[in-house]
PDB file of all heavy atoms in Angstrom:
ATOM      1  N   PHE Q  40     -74.105  95.617  24.217  1.00 90.00           N
ATOM      2  CA  PHE Q  40     -73.223  96.593  23.585  1.00 90.00           C
ATOM      3  C   PHE Q  40     -71.884  96.661  24.304  1.00 90.00           C
ATOM      4  O   PHE Q  40     -70.825  96.729  23.677  1.00 90.00           O
ATOM      5  CB  PHE Q  40     -73.903  97.969  23.602  1.00 90.00           C
ATOM      6  CG  PHE Q  40     -73.162  99.028  22.839  1.00 90.00           C
ATOM      7  CD1 PHE Q  40     -72.962  98.914  21.476  1.00 90.00           C
ATOM      8  CD2 PHE Q  40     -72.679 100.152  23.488  1.00 90.00           C
ATOM      9  CE1 PHE Q  40     -72.288  99.891  20.771  1.00 90.00           C
ATOM     10  CE2 PHE Q  40     -72.001 101.134  22.791  1.00 90.00           C
ATOM     11  CZ  PHE Q  40     -71.805 101.009  21.428  1.00 90.00           C
ATOM     12  N   ALA Q  41     -71.914  96.629  25.640  1.00 91.00           N
ATOM     13  CA  ALA Q  41     -70.680  96.672  26.422  1.00 91.00           C
ATOM     14  C   ALA Q  41     -69.792  95.482  26.094  1.00 91.00           C
ATOM     15  O   ALA Q  41     -68.557  95.588  26.072  1.00 91.00           O
ATOM     16  CB  ALA Q  41     -71.007  96.696  27.914  1.00 91.00           C
ATOM     17  N   GLY Q  42     -70.430  94.329  25.831  1.00 91.00           N
ATOM     18  CA  GLY Q  42     -69.672  93.126  25.505  1.00 91.00           C
ATOM     19  C   GLY Q  42     -68.816  93.294  24.265  1.00 91.00           C
ATOM     20  O   GLY Q  42     -67.751  92.671  24.131  1.00 91.00           O
ATOM     21  N   GLU Q  43     -69.236  94.155  23.336  1.00 88.00           N
ATOM     22  CA  GLU Q  43     -68.455  94.405  22.119  1.00 88.00           C
ATOM     23  C   GLU Q  43     -67.143  95.112  22.434  1.00 88.00           C
ATOM     24  O   GLU Q  43     -66.220  95.106  21.626  1.00 88.00           O
ATOM     25  CB  GLU Q  43     -69.271  95.244  21.132  1.00 88.00           C
ATOM     26  CG  GLU Q  43     -70.537  94.546  20.628  1.00 88.00           C
ATOM     27  CD  GLU Q  43     -71.330  95.407  19.653  1.00 88.00           C
ATOM     28  OE1 GLU Q  43     -70.804  96.467  19.232  1.00 88.00           O
ATOM     29  OE2 GLU Q  43     -72.461  95.018  19.302  1.00 88.00           O
ATOM     30  N   TYR Q  44     -67.083  95.740  23.607  1.00 87.00           N
ATOM     31  CA  TYR Q  44     -65.862  96.443  24.024  1.00 87.00           C
ATOM     32  C   TYR Q  44     -65.121  95.675  25.116  1.00 87.00           C
ATOM     33  O   TYR Q  44     -64.243  96.215  25.795  1.00 87.00           O
ATOM     34  CB  TYR Q  44     -66.211  97.851  24.499  1.00 87.00           C
ATOM     35  CG  TYR Q  44     -66.633  98.760  23.370  1.00 87.00           C
ATOM     36  CD1 TYR Q  44     -67.961  98.774  22.922  1.00 87.00           C
ATOM     37  CD2 TYR Q  44     -65.711  99.573  22.705  1.00 87.00           C
ATOM     38  CE1 TYR Q  44     -68.351  99.593  21.874  1.00 87.00           C
ATOM     39  CE2 TYR Q  44     -66.095 100.389  21.659  1.00 87.00           C
ATOM     40  CZ  TYR Q  44     -67.417 100.395  21.239  1.00 87.00           C
ATOM     41  OH  TYR Q  44     -67.803 101.201  20.193  1.00 87.00           O
ATOM     42  N   GLY Q  45     -65.521  94.428  25.308  1.00 90.00           N
ATOM     43  CA  GLY Q  45     -64.831  93.591  26.275  1.00 90.00           C
ATOM     44  C   GLY Q  45     -65.202  93.866  27.717  1.00 90.00           C
ATOM     45  O   GLY Q  45     -64.505  93.439  28.640  1.00 90.00           O
ATOM     46  N   ILE Q  46     -66.305  94.588  27.940  1.00 91.00           N
ATOM     47  CA  ILE Q  46     -66.743  94.896  29.302  1.00 91.00           C
ATOM     48  C   ILE Q  46     -67.702  93.801  29.752  1.00 91.00           C
ATOM     49  O   ILE Q  46     -68.700  93.521  29.081  1.00 91.00           O
ATOM     50  CB  ILE Q  46     -67.442  96.272  29.360  1.00 91.00           C
ATOM     51  CG1 ILE Q  46     -66.512  97.355  28.802  1.00 91.00           C
ATOM     52  CG2 ILE Q  46     -67.846  96.601  30.786  1.00 91.00           C
ATOM     53  CD1 ILE Q  46     -67.201  98.692  28.601  1.00 91.00           C
ATOM     54  N   LYS Q  47     -67.424  93.188  30.879  1.00 94.00           N
ATOM     55  CA  LYS Q  47     -68.217  92.062  31.354  1.00 94.00           C
ATOM     56  C   LYS Q  47     -69.562  92.514  31.946  1.00 94.00           C
ATOM     57  O   LYS Q  47     -69.646  93.588  32.544  1.00 94.00           O
ATOM     58  CB  LYS Q  47     -67.427  91.284  32.408  1.00 94.00           C
ATOM     59  CG  LYS Q  47     -66.148  90.654  31.860  1.00 94.00           C
ATOM     60  CD  LYS Q  47     -65.380  89.931  32.941  1.00 94.00           C
ATOM     61  CE  LYS Q  47     -64.105  89.311  32.380  1.00 94.00           C
ATOM     62  NZ  LYS Q  47     -63.313  88.613  33.421  1.00 94.00           N
ATOM     63  N   PRO Q  48     -70.607  91.709  31.776  1.00 94.00           N
ATOM     64  CA  PRO Q  48     -71.932  92.049  32.327  1.00 94.00           C
ATOM     65  C   PRO Q  48     -71.902  92.378  33.813  1.00 94.00           C
ATOM     66  O   PRO Q  48     -72.579  93.294  34.270  1.00 94.00           O
ATOM     67  CB  PRO Q  48     -72.751  90.784  32.047  1.00 94.00           C
ATOM     68  CG  PRO Q  48     -72.109  90.176  30.856  1.00 94.00           C
ATOM     69  CD  PRO Q  48     -70.640  90.453  31.000  1.00 94.00           C
ATOM     70  N   LYS Q  49     -71.096  91.628  34.571  1.00 94.00           N
ATOM     71  CA  LYS Q  49     -71.038  91.839  36.017  1.00 94.00           C
ATOM     72  C   LYS Q  49     -70.550  93.249  36.344  1.00 94.00           C
ATOM     73  O   LYS Q  49     -70.989  93.864  37.323  1.00 94.00           O
ATOM     74  CB  LYS Q  49     -70.119  90.801  36.650  1.00 94.00           C
ATOM     75  CG  LYS Q  49     -70.166  90.776  38.175  1.00 94.00           C
ATOM     76  CD  LYS Q  49     -69.319  89.637  38.734  1.00 94.00           C
ATOM     77  CE  LYS Q  49     -69.924  88.288  38.403  1.00 94.00           C
ATOM     78  NZ  LYS Q  49     -69.202  87.175  39.084  1.00 94.00           N
ATOM     79  N   GLU Q  50     -69.634  93.787  35.519  1.00 93.00           N
ATOM     80  CA  GLU Q  50     -69.119  95.131  35.743  1.00 93.00           C
ATOM     81  C   GLU Q  50     -70.190  96.180  35.484  1.00 93.00           C
ATOM     82  O   GLU Q  50     -70.311  97.170  36.213  1.00 93.00           O
ATOM     83  CB  GLU Q  50     -67.916  95.395  34.830  1.00 93.00           C
ATOM     84  CG  GLU Q  50     -66.701  94.535  35.106  1.00 93.00           C
ATOM     85  CD  GLU Q  50     -65.592  94.821  34.118  1.00 93.00           C
ATOM     86  OE1 GLU Q  50     -65.583  94.234  33.015  1.00 93.00           O
ATOM     87  OE2 GLU Q  50     -64.730  95.673  34.431  1.00 93.00           O
ATOM     88  N   ILE Q  51     -70.974  95.981  34.434  1.00 93.00           N
ATOM     89  CA  ILE Q  51     -72.017  96.942  34.056  1.00 93.00           C
ATOM     90  C   ILE Q  51     -73.145  96.944  35.079  1.00 93.00           C
ATOM     91  O   ILE Q  51     -73.699  97.986  35.425  1.00 93.00           O
ATOM     92  CB  ILE Q  51     -72.588  96.602  32.661  1.00 93.00           C
ATOM     93  CG1 ILE Q  51     -71.503  96.803  31.591  1.00 93.00           C
ATOM     94  CG2 ILE Q  51     -73.803  97.454  32.329  1.00 93.00           C
ATOM     95  CD1 ILE Q  51     -71.080  98.231  31.409  1.00 93.00           C
ATOM     96  N   LEU Q  52     -73.494  95.772  35.578  1.00 95.00           N
ATOM     97  CA  LEU Q  52     -74.648  95.640  36.481  1.00 95.00           C
ATOM     98  C   LEU Q  52     -74.305  95.884  37.947  1.00 95.00           C
ATOM     99  O   LEU Q  52     -75.208  95.912  38.784  1.00 95.00           O
ATOM    100  CB  LEU Q  52     -75.253  94.233  36.331  1.00 95.00           C
ATOM    101  CG  LEU Q  52     -75.812  93.883  34.940  1.00 95.00           C
ATOM    102  CD1 LEU Q  52     -76.276  92.432  34.924  1.00 95.00           C
ATOM    103  CD2 LEU Q  52     -76.945  94.822  34.553  1.00 95.00           C
ATOM    104  N   ALA Q  53     -73.028  96.060  38.260  1.00 91.00           N
ATOM    105  CA  ALA Q  53     -72.597  96.208  39.651  1.00 91.00           C
ATOM    106  C   ALA Q  53     -73.393  97.289  40.380  1.00 91.00           C
ATOM    107  O   ALA Q  53     -73.502  98.423  39.914  1.00 91.00           O
ATOM    108  CB  ALA Q  53     -71.104  96.547  39.697  1.00 91.00           C
ATOM    109  N   GLY Q  54     -73.970  96.917  41.518  1.00 86.00           N
ATOM    110  CA  GLY Q  54     -74.685  97.870  42.353  1.00 86.00           C
ATOM    111  C   GLY Q  54     -76.106  98.186  41.927  1.00 86.00           C
ATOM    112  O   GLY Q  54     -76.812  98.919  42.612  1.00 86.00           O
ATOM    113  N   SER Q  55     -76.552  97.637  40.793  1.00 91.00           N
ATOM    114  CA  SER Q  55     -77.879  97.978  40.269  1.00 91.00           C
ATOM    115  C   SER Q  55     -79.001  97.117  40.847  1.00 91.00           C
ATOM    116  O   SER Q  55     -80.179  97.468  40.743  1.00 91.00           O
ATOM    117  CB  SER Q  55     -77.890  97.832  38.741  1.00 91.00           C
ATOM    118  OG  SER Q  55     -77.775  96.462  38.367  1.00 91.00           O
ATOM    119  N   GLY Q  56     -78.638  95.959  41.428  1.00 92.00           N
ATOM    120  CA  GLY Q  56     -79.661  95.042  41.923  1.00 92.00           C
ATOM    121  C   GLY Q  56     -80.246  94.166  40.830  1.00 92.00           C
ATOM    122  O   GLY Q  56     -81.226  93.454  41.048  1.00 92.00           O
ATOM    123  N   ILE Q  57     -79.656  94.204  39.628  1.00 95.00           N
ATOM    124  CA  ILE Q  57     -80.111  93.385  38.502  1.00 95.00           C
ATOM    125  C   ILE Q  57     -79.140  92.228  38.306  1.00 95.00           C
ATOM    126  O   ILE Q  57     -77.919  92.437  38.238  1.00 95.00           O
ATOM    127  CB  ILE Q  57     -80.198  94.214  37.206  1.00 95.00           C
ATOM    128  CG1 ILE Q  57     -81.139  95.398  37.390  1.00 95.00           C
ATOM    129  CG2 ILE Q  57     -80.659  93.356  36.026  1.00 95.00           C
ATOM    130  CD1 ILE Q  57     -81.126  96.390  36.230  1.00 95.00           C
ATOM    131  N   GLU Q  58     -79.664  91.010  38.245  1.00 94.00           N
ATOM    132  CA  GLU Q  58     -78.828  89.832  38.048  1.00 94.00           C
ATOM    133  C   GLU Q  58     -78.665  89.540  36.553  1.00 94.00           C
ATOM    134  O   GLU Q  58     -79.552  89.832  35.747  1.00 94.00           O
ATOM    135  CB  GLU Q  58     -79.454  88.614  38.737  1.00 94.00           C
ATOM    136  CG  GLU Q  58     -79.644  88.778  40.238  1.00 94.00           C
ATOM    137  CD  GLU Q  58     -78.314  88.922  40.980  1.00 94.00           C
ATOM    138  OE1 GLU Q  58     -77.306  88.359  40.501  1.00 94.00           O
ATOM    139  OE2 GLU Q  58     -78.294  89.577  42.035  1.00 94.00           O
ATOM    140  N   ILE Q  59     -77.541  88.923  36.203  1.00 94.00           N
ATOM    141  CA  ILE Q  59     -77.251  88.617  34.800  1.00 94.00           C
ATOM    142  C   ILE Q  59     -78.341  87.750  34.185  1.00 94.00           C
ATOM    143  O   ILE Q  59     -78.790  87.981  33.055  1.00 94.00           O
ATOM    144  CB  ILE Q  59     -75.874  87.928  34.663  1.00 94.00           C
ATOM    145  CG1 ILE Q  59     -74.759  88.883  35.118  1.00 94.00           C
ATOM    146  CG2 ILE Q  59     -75.634  87.473  33.225  1.00 94.00           C
ATOM    147  CD1 ILE Q  59     -73.386  88.245  35.170  1.00 94.00           C
ATOM    148  N   GLY Q  60     -78.809  86.750  34.922  1.00 94.00           N
ATOM    149  CA  GLY Q  60     -79.821  85.837  34.400  1.00 94.00           C
ATOM    150  C   GLY Q  60     -81.148  86.521  34.085  1.00 94.00           C
ATOM    151  O   GLY Q  60     -81.941  86.016  33.281  1.00 94.00           O
ATOM    152  N   GLU Q  61     -81.409  87.678  34.700  1.00 94.00           N
ATOM    153  CA  GLU Q  61     -82.678  88.383  34.481  1.00 94.00           C
ATOM    154  C   GLU Q  61     -82.729  89.084  33.132  1.00 94.00           C
ATOM    155  O   GLU Q  61     -83.804  89.491  32.682  1.00 94.00           O
ATOM    156  CB  GLU Q  61     -82.905  89.394  35.607  1.00 94.00           C
ATOM    157  CG  GLU Q  61     -83.108  88.742  36.966  1.00 94.00           C
ATOM    158  CD  GLU Q  61     -83.201  89.753  38.092  1.00 94.00           C
ATOM    159  OE1 GLU Q  61     -82.437  90.747  38.061  1.00 94.00           O
ATOM    160  OE2 GLU Q  61     -84.025  89.557  38.996  1.00 94.00           O
ATOM    161  N   LEU Q  62     -81.580  89.230  32.475  1.00 93.00           N
ATOM    162  CA  LEU Q  62     -81.535  89.933  31.192  1.00 93.00           C
ATOM    163  C   LEU Q  62     -82.290  89.189  30.098  1.00 93.00           C
ATOM    164  O   LEU Q  62     -82.655  89.782  29.077  1.00 93.00           O
ATOM    165  CB  LEU Q  62     -80.079  90.149  30.761  1.00 93.00           C
ATOM    166  CG  LEU Q  62     -79.227  91.018  31.694  1.00 93.00           C
ATOM    167  CD1 LEU Q  62     -77.795  91.058  31.207  1.00 93.00           C
ATOM    168  CD2 LEU Q  62     -79.792  92.430  31.773  1.00 93.00           C
ATOM    169  N   THR Q  63     -82.516  87.910  30.282  1.00 91.00           N
ATOM    170  CA  THR Q  63     -83.225  87.117  29.271  1.00 91.00           C
ATOM    171  C   THR Q  63     -84.704  86.932  29.612  1.00 91.00           C
ATOM    172  O   THR Q  63     -85.413  86.211  28.917  1.00 91.00           O
ATOM    173  CB  THR Q  63     -82.562  85.733  29.118  1.00 91.00           C
ATOM    174  OG1 THR Q  63     -82.546  85.074  30.395  1.00 91.00           O
ATOM    175  CG2 THR Q  63     -81.133  85.871  28.603  1.00 91.00           C
ATOM    176  N   ASP Q  64     -85.153  87.592  30.672  1.00 90.00           N
ATOM    177  CA  ASP Q  64     -86.548  87.478  31.088  1.00 90.00           C
ATOM    178  C   ASP Q  64     -87.352  88.649  30.518  1.00 90.00           C
ATOM    179  O   ASP Q  64     -87.217  89.787  30.980  1.00 90.00           O
ATOM    180  CB  ASP Q  64     -86.646  87.492  32.614  1.00 90.00           C
ATOM    181  CG  ASP Q  64     -88.075  87.374  33.127  1.00 90.00           C
ATOM    182  OD1 ASP Q  64     -88.998  87.260  32.289  1.00 90.00           O
ATOM    183  OD2 ASP Q  64     -88.270  87.408  34.350  1.00 90.00           O
ATOM    184  N   PRO Q  65     -88.182  88.416  29.495  1.00 83.00           N
ATOM    185  CA  PRO Q  65     -88.919  89.514  28.853  1.00 83.00           C
ATOM    186  C   PRO Q  65     -89.951  90.174  29.767  1.00 83.00           C
ATOM    187  O   PRO Q  65     -90.436  91.263  29.464  1.00 83.00           O
ATOM    188  CB  PRO Q  65     -89.604  88.829  27.663  1.00 83.00           C
ATOM    189  CG  PRO Q  65     -89.729  87.395  28.077  1.00 83.00           C
ATOM    190  CD  PRO Q  65     -88.510  87.114  28.903  1.00 83.00           C
ATOM    191  N   HIS Q  66     -90.284  89.532  30.873  1.00 84.00           N
ATOM    192  CA  HIS Q  66     -91.289  90.080  31.788  1.00 84.00           C
ATOM    193  C   HIS Q  66     -90.663  90.832  32.966  1.00 84.00           C
ATOM    194  O   HIS Q  66     -91.382  91.376  33.799  1.00 84.00           O
ATOM    195  CB  HIS Q  66     -92.170  88.952  32.332  1.00 84.00           C
ATOM    196  CG  HIS Q  66     -92.864  88.158  31.265  1.00 84.00           C
ATOM    197  ND1 HIS Q  66     -93.827  88.700  30.453  1.00 84.00           N
ATOM    198  CD2 HIS Q  66     -92.703  86.860  30.866  1.00 84.00           C
ATOM    199  CE1 HIS Q  66     -94.251  87.779  29.597  1.00 84.00           C
ATOM    200  NE2 HIS Q  66     -93.586  86.667  29.829  1.00 84.00           N
ATOM    201  N   ARG Q  67     -89.342  90.874  33.039  1.00 90.00           N
ATOM    202  CA  ARG Q  67     -88.650  91.529  34.159  1.00 90.00           C
ATOM    203  C   ARG Q  67     -88.840  93.036  34.073  1.00 90.00           C
ATOM    204  O   ARG Q  67     -88.613  93.660  33.043  1.00 90.00           O
ATOM    205  CB  ARG Q  67     -87.154  91.190  34.125  1.00 90.00           C
ATOM    206  CG  ARG Q  67     -86.316  91.901  35.177  1.00 90.00           C
ATOM    207  CD  ARG Q  67     -86.602  91.380  36.571  1.00 90.00           C
ATOM    208  NE  ARG Q  67     -85.556  91.745  37.505  1.00 90.00           N
ATOM    209  CZ  ARG Q  67     -85.594  92.810  38.310  1.00 90.00           C
ATOM    210  NH1 ARG Q  67     -86.653  93.590  38.321  1.00 90.00           N
ATOM    211  NH2 ARG Q  67     -84.583  93.069  39.124  1.00 90.00           N
ATOM    212  N   ILE Q  68     -89.295  93.613  35.165  1.00 91.00           N
ATOM    213  CA  ILE Q  68     -89.487  95.052  35.253  1.00 91.00           C
ATOM    214  C   ILE Q  68     -88.495  95.613  36.262  1.00 91.00           C
ATOM    215  O   ILE Q  68     -88.276  95.025  37.325  1.00 91.00           O
ATOM    216  CB  ILE Q  68     -90.934  95.381  35.674  1.00 91.00           C
ATOM    217  CG1 ILE Q  68     -91.891  95.075  34.519  1.00 91.00           C
ATOM    218  CG2 ILE Q  68     -91.078  96.837  36.088  1.00 91.00           C
ATOM    219  CD1 ILE Q  68     -93.344  95.292  34.868  1.00 91.00           C
TER     220      ILE Q  68
END
C-alpha cells in the first residue's frame, strides 16, 4: 500500500527487524 504513495519498503520497515525479502515468505512469523 505504501508503494502506491511512492514510499519505499526500506523506509516502512526501518527499525522493525524485518527484511524486504521476508515479505514474500508465507511462513514468516
Side-chain angles (χ1 to χ4, degrees):
F40 187 63
E43 297 180 9
Y44 289 85
I46 304 170
K47 297 178 180 179
K49 190 175 292 187
E50 295 177 275
I51 294 293
L52 298 176
S55 68
I57 302 171
E58 300 296 330
I59 296 173
E61 294 175 320
L62 298 176
T63 57
D64 180 1
H66 303 294
R67 176 70 163 96
I68 289 177

